[in-house]
Amino acid sequence: MKETLMNRLTWMEYQERVRDEQAPVFLPVGALEQHGPHLPLGTDAILSTAVAEGVAGATSGLVAPAMAYGYKSQPKCGGGQHSPGTTSLDAMTLAHTVRDTVREFARHGVKKLVIVNGHYENQWFLIEGINLAMRELGKTPLTIMRLEYWDFFTPPTLAKAFPDGFPGYALEHAAVLETSMMLHYHPELVRLDRIPNDPPADFQPYDIYPTRTEWVPPSGVLSSAKSATREKGTAMVNELTTLISAAVKKEF
Ligand SMILES: [Zn+2]
């Protein structure tokens, strides 16, 4: 089995993989953010890395070290910035970090780059970073694919995971999807006895600044994670790995 982690290769081995073999390189992106009383702060980068590793295994790819800090946690999809442990970047810091990283991969001769996002709030700043890099690079043999891994869940999988109805990805923070996937990849990191069973957070259709922290459930979890299981996680992970691998093969 080929090595899938970039940081375990020497520069010569890496060069051979990206230049001669044209291996796709996966850049996982996450956040350091509260994930309730039952999941670790690093959940988003842990999950995007695990997904990327599965897909890299199926596509002879390489996984770069994750960008472990993300854009600011928003009350309605991440619980907000007031929680201890949540450690976030300004938008331009994130966009510029992505821009710089993409530019370096292009210089290495990488032709296929897949940015795997695991933190809802990051999306537009990843796009900005990609856009700035592409503008600077001009004509380049590098093609970039960007994805939020959850967009690959199919309606039948969501129906099975949420028999009472899917609350939407924003409220799914530290809830059934992330908890089930963590139970699959890293069960030792899930505090099973502390999984909260709060009703979905009830937000207004607007935001107030400074943040009304009282809108956010005290646990930091935005909908119940109680029905998370390892079986659901395994089914989700198998589906994601298959569908993302197929998409990468199709585009590259
Ligand atoms: Zn998360």
Side-chain angles (χ1 to χ4, degrees):
M1 175 109 178
K2 271 188 176 168
E3 178 61 60
T4 54
L5 299 180
M6 173 186 173
N7 61 1
R8 292 167 65 96
L9 297 176
T10 66
W11 73 267
M12 290 175 190
E13 292 162 347
Y14 170 73
Q15 178 172 260
E16 197 179 301
R17 294 285 294 277
V18 298
R19 288 200 185 165
D20 303 343
E21 298 175 26
Q22 302 206 355
V25 172
F26 294 81
L27 176 63
V29 190
L32 193 57
E33 182 190 35
Q34 73 78 17
H35 272 73
H38 63 299
L39 293 179
L41 292 164
T43 293
D44 290 351
I46 291 171
L47 286 179
S48 58
T49 299
V51 170
E53 282 182 32
V55 178
T59 56
S60 303
L62 283 175
V63 181
M67 287 175 46
Y69 297 84
Y71 181 66
K72 293 161 195 149
S73 181
Q74 298 301 298
K76 290 178 187 172
C77 51
Q81 278 296 120
H82 54 286
S83 175
T86 296
T87 311
S88 307
L89 302 177
D90 286 349
M92 287 319 291
T93 311
L94 177 58
H96 284 164
T97 307
V98 173
R99 176 200 63 188
D100 295 355
T101 316
V102 168
R103 191 173 45 202
E104 289 293 77
F105 286 128
R107 180 178 64 76
H108 305 161
V110 172
K111 294 196 173 58
K112 308 161 183 175
L113 178 63
V114 185
I115 299 183
V116 180
N117 184 23
H119 175 59
Y120 196 83
E121 289 88 329
N122 283 344
Q123 178 171 342
W124 296 102
F125 312 113
L126 302 183
I127 293 171
E128 179 67 4
I130 292 167
N131 191 271
L132 293 175
M134 295 306 256
R135 193 165 72 189
E136 195 178 309
L137 288 166
K139 223 170 134 30
T140 174
L142 170 66
T143 303
I144 303 172
M145 179 178 190
R146 181 196 58 78
L147 61 94
E148 277 70 46
Y149 68 75
W150 49 83
D151 283 337
F152 285 80
F153 289 126
T154 60
T157 300
L158 291 177
K160 249 182 263 167
F162 300 94
D164 301 327
F166 178 50
Y169 289 116
L171 286 186
E172 249 301 308
H173 177 72
V176 178
L177 297 176
E178 287 184 317
T179 304
S180 298
M181 287 175 69
M182 285 296 281
L183 284 168
H184 170 83
Y185 286 125
H186 297 286
E188 75 286 0
L189 295 179
V190 183
R191 283 67 163 173
L192 275 179
D193 53 328
R194 297 198 205 151
I195 293 181
N197 192 19
D198 302 332
D202 186 21
F203 290 116
Q204 300 301 319
Y206 50 82
D207 294 318
I208 299 284
Y209 307 92
T211 300
R212 294 275 162 82
T213 54
E214 67 273 19
W215 289 0
V216 179
S219 70
V221 180
L222 304 183
S223 61
S224 177
K226 208 67 196 173
S227 65
T229 66
R230 189 171 186 172
E231 290 67 39
K232 283 182 184 178
T234 300
M236 288 169 191
V237 165
N238 289 341
E239 174 162 79
L240 289 183
T241 310
T242 305
L243 295 181
I244 299 176
S245 302
V248 169
K249 286 176 187 163
K250 175 172 174 271
E251 297 303 330
F252 296 134

